[in-house]
Amino acid sequence: MLRPRLLATLLVALALVLAGATGAGAAIVTSHDDQGRPITFDVRAANVNTEWYASVLRAAAHGDEISRVTVRIVPAAQVTTLCGSEEAAACYGKLRGTPTIVIAVGQSLFNEGTLLHEYGHHLDTAWQVAGVPELNGTQVWWDARGIASLLSSHTVAFDYSLGWSHSIPEMFAEDYAYSQMPGYSYGITWLTPPDATLKAALFAELGTPTSALPPVSTEPLVVIRKGTLAPRGARVVNFGLLGRGRHVILTATVTKPKRNGLRARAQIVCNGTVVATETFPHGRTQRVIDLPGLGPADCQAKLVSTAGVKLGYTLKLSLAIEASG
């Protein structure tokens, strides 16, 4: 989530579809933040290190609202079902009246950014903007971003009627995650990510000293998407490169290696221009596109099927800031 920075769009659902998802073997684990506030985890997967998730939230700007959310940790394969969307990496909503974040098991930069984005949705519910319906961010953020003006010009909306990236709650969640995590993959390409002034204002509003602003990281962000491609369908992952010297690696895998003919092509497209293409001829299951020195740019990682049958696929997108010198 992820994040200046490198970006991959985090497509997350806001409403949970959790009916019948209680299951057996659940364990409630409680940790605490530095002020002793409880952080509750509902563990539904094996080999979960809840302290890793707690450390992410503990280090992020927050208040008493952290004690009013439950983080449900599930196997990655269950996230799309529980969240009600094939695009969901995680989601936030209410389960039996309890604010709940559903997220996959795993310790990674991607999961860290995803958790912060979803916590941004939770924090949003705890901070009101005078005279404005929820979800709306915080007052300082609303004013600094000029949301009232964007709303009146029909550039943004409270719902998804103008698309995910023009949804006010998603804008706030992305700004929150970006402000908390170095290298976060900011997924809104039409909006400039928070600058130092906005970051400092958000930290001050949330009661966090500006000295706690996170340093820049050069660790790569890794985003993984997998699923099924419809016949001659396409899968697109949007991401932004905010500065120069970005290193992009796309590893694409498809099934049915014995099928005759060209089955698919993987591409990196930046600012509307195809930067690189790799095809999947007979017998090839994996292709890699390795592109150093990119950016700044608005980009897409694309996998396009040229087959008349369904294809299973996995896309692994690695985004890194190249070391200077």
Side-chain angles (χ1 to χ4, degrees), residues 298-309:
D298 292 328
C299 301
Q300 295 178 323
K302 301 178 68 174
L303 181 64
V304 181
S305 171
T306 55
V309 297

Side-chain angles (χ1 to χ4, degrees), residues 21 54 61 81 92 128 138 142 157 161 176 183 195 216 221 310 312 322:
T81 299
Y92 171 80
Q128 286 73 49
T138 67
W142 177 276
S161 59
Y176 175 80
D195 59 14
V216 173
L221 164 72
K310 292 181 179 178
E322 295 173 341

Side-chain angles (χ1 to χ4, degrees), residues 1 5 57 64 70 77 79 113 127 133 163 182 230 320:
M1 230 218 181
R5 359 152 316 111
L57 296 177
D64 292 342
T70 295
V79 171
W127 290 74

